[in-house]
Amino acid sequence: MSKQDKPSDARLGGMDNLFLKAEHSRRIMAVTSIWTFKNPVVIERVYDVLRSFCENYPRFARVPKNEGFFRTPNWTILEGWEPQDNVIIHTLHEPTRKALQKYCAQQIQTPFDFTKPLWELHTIYGLKDNNSAIFFKAHHSIADGEGFIRSLLSTTSLEDTMKKLEKQSVIAHRTKPHHNSQASTVLENKIPKHLLQKFPSFIITALAFLYIIFWQIYVYSIAAYHDLYEALLCVIPVMRKDLYYKGLQSHEKEMAWSDDITLSDIKIIRQAFGGTLNDVMLTVVTRCVKGYLESIGKRRDNYISFLVPISLRQPSDWRLKNVVSGAWGFFSMKDLDTKQLLGQVRTEMLAIKSSWTPRLLYIWFERIFGASPGLSPPLSVYNHFCDIAHGVFTNIPGPQSPITYAGEEIQEYRSFPPQNGKGTIGIALISYCGKVSIGALADVHPDYPGLVEGVCKRFAEEFEFILDEAKMELSKKKDKVF
């Protein structure tokens, strides 16, 4: 797979530049990942990997400079710079998970040094049982989350089989589901087979055709309603109350991750209640946030809103740049049972996937702001849009078999999106070796103590409860059959 430098990569794209414009010192636009190892990584091997990495992905060896009103910054080569200049070696004072989380959170809140390429790699020693870790932090202007993770994984033993990730993604955010085939499947499932056999084929075809028409009307009506509501939120003051607070955004951050659950257990829930994997996971996460807020007596909103990134890449698109848009999703924190909540989440996600707005926004930012970055609005406008949602929810596709980096096997694989605004929580769903977990990042603020820890510790518990419900539901279905 060739990753030669291309003329189109000489400058930042419009979306790349957007992440530079939207950043300030209390909201660092960084995508991050933590890998832990059973043994200490050898630093010389890390240097060798990084040299090859920067050759294959030139953006990691350059800095954005020389922006004009009608041109985005250049990706400029630095004379005399070496990849090891961006490597930090650190030993934890305590061999605990909390110490590792605290150190990594401190690095996220530290602004980038724009005299060097906009990334850092921290090799971390002193973990329990002589384990080690690598923490990678890169500016979002270099690439979106998918491009970032793909480039990182190309430095591992997975390099020769990277295309397998296209089939292993935990969640596939795609803009246009195949409504026609979905409608036909639903029709077949709704009508018992013995009844279908009693009608002539032309009647079945006519019914299927009518169903598809009404299904399309339904899908695009909920998408239109969703888009109108999004447009309304853009022109009114920030309405949400939960997680929000007065004053400047806290510069101090906190980080946590959950215990693992298994993909096989997620499949059981889907069999019982339907929905995609991300529908199930958003249901669990919504319950986690709701539970945390109610535990401190501060739940005031009926819906939690997440910015859901939508990849616009083709499966063969390996470019290191931002080919991503997004939409806000609104998920109920009312007292709904599991079936009701999962149904509401499915409807909301269907509206997001069916909307053309994310693609149109991407075209606007990429072409207009790419050609005339001087037209970019002031930071206060970015702040308004960034503060609208409660947080970000994204997926991180991971390999389903163990991989090695710099000669050492990766035991745990975590990743984190940037926060979107003040009083927000960034949540990433991560898969590795058949297991799934979430990683979370948020502001440290006295109004919401231990936010990310409170959400992450509930993840496995809430999932187990829904799993028990699913097993009971499936057992009832079996009883009906027999």
Side-chain angles (χ1 to χ4, degrees):
M1 179 172 52
S2 176
K3 300 182 182 68
Q4 300 297 322
D5 195 18
K6 299 177 181 179
S8 60
D9 286 335
R11 293 187 180 278
L12 278 74
M15 283 299 297
D16 300 333
N17 203 34
L18 179 69
F19 288 104
L20 285 179
K21 298 289 188 180
E23 182 179 64
H24 60 67
S25 60
R26 297 169 184 267
R27 183 179 63 233
I28 306 300
M29 289 295 170
V31 285
T32 54
S33 190
I34 302 174
W35 300 348
T36 59
F37 307 87
K38 187 175 182 179
N39 301 308
V41 290
V42 179
I43 193 64
E44 287 75 16
R45 290 181 179 176
V46 173
Y47 291 155
D48 290 340
V49 170
L50 288 176
R51 277 190 282 270
S52 175
F53 177 59
C54 291
E55 288 176 3
N56 289 331
Y57 296 96
R59 285 192 175 194
F60 284 99
R62 301 182 179 185
V63 293
K65 288 186 176 181
N66 303 320
E67 180 183 10
F69 190 94
F70 292 108
R71 66 174 186 273
T72 57
N74 292 317
W75 285 111
T76 306
I77 299 173
L78 288 178
E79 296 295 335
W81 176 85
E82 293 292 336
Q84 52 263 40
D85 296 340
N86 282 40
V87 176
I88 296 95
I89 301 173
H90 179 78
T91 301
L92 297 176
H93 297 300
E94 297 179 0
T96 63
R97 178 197 280 197
K98 284 190 177 295
L100 176 61
Q101 291 171 345
K102 183 176 181 181
Y103 175 77
C104 294
Q106 288 172 343
Q107 308 319 306
I108 289 176
Q109 71 193 39
T110 304
F112 285 96
D113 180 356
F114 278 73
T115 65
K116 298 191 294 185
L118 302 181
W119 62 270
E120 297 172 359
L121 186 144
H122 298 253
T123 55
I124 305 169
Y125 302 100
L127 277 70
K128 186 178 179 180
D129 299 327
N130 204 31
N131 291 0
S132 62
I134 280 181
F135 175 70
F136 204 106
K137 167 187 172 184
H139 201 285
H140 213 316
S141 62
I142 296 177
D144 53 35
E146 188 172 351
F148 171 65
I149 293 300
R150 281 186 173 187
S151 66
L152 279 189
L153 290 177
S154 72
T155 66
T156 69
S157 57
L158 194 68
E159 180 180 12
D160 295 332
T161 55
M162 282 289 286
K163 290 187 178 180
K164 289 183 180 180
L165 282 179
E166 296 164 15
K167 298 180 180 180
Q168 294 175 349
S169 176
V170 177
I171 306 173
H173 289 310
R174 292 295 179 248
T175 54
K176 291 294 170 185
H178 299 289
H179 298 312
N180 290 358
S181 60
Q182 185 178 358
S184 301
T185 303
V186 171
L187 182 65
E188 292 174 3
N189 292 336
K190 291 291 184 183
I191 303 177
K193 194 173 274 187
H194 68 276
L195 288 179
L196 287 174
Q197 293 172 348
K198 294 182 179 181
F199 293 94
S201 60
F202 74 90
I203 293 180
I204 301 302
T205 302
L207 288 174
F209 180 73
L210 287 173
Y211 186 91
I212 290 171
I213 291 176
F214 284 111
W215 175 256
Q216 294 281 17
I217 293 172
Y218 168 72
V219 166
Y220 288 110
S221 63
I222 62 172
Y225 176 79
H226 177 272
D227 291 351
L228 286 173
Y229 184 61
E230 281 189 312
L232 175 64
L233 291 179
C234 293
V235 296
I236 62 176
V238 175
M239 297 294 292
R240 68 180 175 95
K241 299 180 178 65
D242 291 342
L243 306 185
Y244 210 51
Y245 52 84
K246 294 181 179 180
L248 292 174
Q249 182 174 357
S250 171
H251 73 280
E252 190 177 356
K253 310 299 175 185
E254 59 181 8
M255 170 189 287
W257 51 82
S258 72
D259 292 333
D260 294 330
I261 59 176
T262 65
L263 285 169
S264 58
D265 284 343
I266 297 173
K267 186 177 180 180
I268 293 173
I269 296 176
R270 295 179 62 192
Q271 288 173 341
F273 300 124
T276 63
L277 188 145
N278 59 332
D279 295 337
V280 174
M281 291 295 93
L282 274 165
T283 300
V284 176
V285 168
T286 299
R287 285 254 178 98
C288 292
V289 177
K290 177 178 184 288
Y292 166 79
L293 290 170
E294 290 178 348
S295 72
I296 62 172
K298 291 186 178 179
R299 186 178 77 79
R300 292 163 290 180
D301 296 332
N302 285 326
Y303 290 84
I304 184 168
S305 52
F306 285 119
L307 175 63
V308 181
I310 299 174
S311 176
L312 300 178
R313 292 176 180 267
Q314 297 298 319
S316 59
D317 188 351
W318 293 85
R319 290 175 297 168
L320 194 67
K321 65 175 300 183
N322 285 279
V323 191
V324 67
S325 187
W328 293 313
F330 307 93
F331 308 103
S332 178
M333 291 196 291
K334 298 177 183 179
D335 295 327
L336 304 180
D337 62 35
T338 299
K339 282 186 178 181
Q340 291 173 323
L341 178 56
L342 184 54
Q344 189 272 327
V345 171
R346 291 175 66 181
T347 300
E348 188 66 13
M349 291 303 293
L350 179 61
I352 290 173
K353 294 174 185 178
S354 304
S355 172
W356 279 96
T357 301
R359 182 174 294 275
L360 294 175
L361 286 175
Y362 173 79
I363 293 172
W364 170 263
F365 287 122
E366 188 69 11
R367 294 184 179 178
I368 303 301
F369 286 175
S372 302
L375 296 176
S376 178
L379 186 59
S380 58
V381 175
Y382 287 108
N383 289 343
H384 171 74
F385 285 97
C386 288
D387 290 351
I388 288 174
H390 294 87
V392 177
F393 181 89
T394 188
N395 68 307
I396 305 293
Q400 298 308 304
S401 57
I403 58 175
T404 61
Y405 176 84
E408 297 294 336
E409 184 176 309
I410 298 173
Q411 287 192 309
E412 294 183 342
Y413 168 92
R414 316 281 181 189
S415 291
F416 305 85
Q419 287 178 277
N420 51 298
K422 182 177 75 171
T424 63
I425 182 169
I427 298 177
L429 187 69
I430 312 126
S431 68
Y432 183 57
C433 293
K435 297 179 179 179
V436 177
S437 62
I438 60 169
L441 173 71
D443 296 334
V444 173
H445 196 274
D447 288 352
Y448 300 97
L451 169 58
V452 294
E453 185 67 29
V455 170
C456 288
K457 77 177 183 180
R458 286 174 167 80
F459 179 74
E461 298 172 2
E462 291 288 353
F463 178 82
E464 287 297 326
F465 177 76
I466 295 176
L467 179 62
D468 289 341
E469 285 186 299
K471 290 177 179 177
M472 183 176 69
E473 188 73 17
L474 289 175
S475 68
K476 290 180 179 177
K477 291 180 180 178
K478 288 181 181 179
D479 290 340
K480 291 179 180 180
V481 172
F482 296 105

